[in-house]
Amino acid sequence: MLAVAKGARVIIIFVSDDKLSRARKLGASELINYVRTPDWDEAVNTLTHGEGVSHVLELGGPETYPRSINAIGAGGHIAQIGVLTGFGPRPDIDRIRSTNASIDGITVGSGDHFREMNAFLTQHDIQPVIDRVFSFEQAGEAYDYLQSAKHFGKIVIDLAS
């Protein structure tokens, strides 16, 4: 886990205890099941003694964005990676302004960033977490599996098979 290798205290929020257990084995410090704890932003703020977190990887979209904004600390950063709950109303960002936090959309980095990341992965012997590998002929099944959200880690489509 990149964040753990960089010395971060990692708080993971997942839907299932199985995925949380796997995240713990990868070095996550704190675990929150968002089904049992729907107000996970409040739990995050409790864990950080009201300071909030420095970084949020926002995957959910309109259903989770307000909670991510509430969990961010002063000067923090929200990385908008996905929009799993679809598109909808825009969140109230007043708290972002008042905490001097920021939001950036994340797509793909530069070639230099890719090389730096790979050097870091090699230096720290970090292996990617691969849930399943599908053959090219199974690409449709791979996308169905991705949509099911049952995976933990990457889903690979092997073009060489």
Side-chain angles (χ1 to χ4, degrees):
M1 184 178 276
L2 290 171
V4 172
K6 290 293 278 184
R9 175 183 175 207
V10 177
I11 301 172
I12 296 288
I13 301 164
F14 269 134
V15 65
S16 77
D17 290 334
D18 176 56
K19 289 182 178 184
L20 288 169
S21 174
R22 293 173 75 180
R24 170 79 79 202
K25 290 177 185 171
L26 291 170
S29 305
E30 309 290 347
L31 311 172
I32 301 171
N33 181 314
Y34 68 78
V35 171
R36 280 197 308 277
T37 310
D39 295 333
W40 54 262
D41 53 327
E42 293 176 18
V44 166
N45 284 318
T46 298
L47 289 169
T48 61
H49 308 288
E51 292 184 18
V53 294
S54 300
H55 299 280
V56 171
L57 302 180
E58 170 56 50
L59 305 170
E63 291 183 23
T64 59
Y65 228 106
R67 294 197 184 286
S68 291
I69 290 171
N70 190 44
I72 200 70
H77 176 251
I78 297 175
Q80 175 64 51
I81 297 173
V83 189
L84 297 176
T85 62
F87 296 92
R90 297 195 180 352
D92 179 356
I93 61 169
D94 282 343
R95 187 164 189 283
I96 295 294
R97 283 191 293 269
S98 67
T99 59
N100 200 31
S102 64
I103 302 171
D104 288 306
I106 303 297
T107 53
V108 177
S110 69
D112 286 341
H113 289 152
F114 185 67
R115 285 184 284 282
E116 288 172 21
M117 177 193 69
N118 284 317
F120 184 85
L121 294 174
T122 300
Q123 176 186 358
H124 295 278
D125 194 30
I126 298 173
Q127 302 298 316
V129 177
I130 298 174
D131 184 284
R132 278 182 70 182
V133 177
F134 293 85
S135 69
F136 181 73
E137 293 75 26
Q138 297 173 303
E141 185 181 339
Y143 282 105
D144 289 342
Y145 186 59
L146 175 65
Q147 188 170 13
S148 77
K150 293 179 181 174
H151 62 288
F152 182 92
K154 300 297 179 190
I155 299 169
V156 175
I157 299 175
D158 184 351
L159 301 177
S161 62

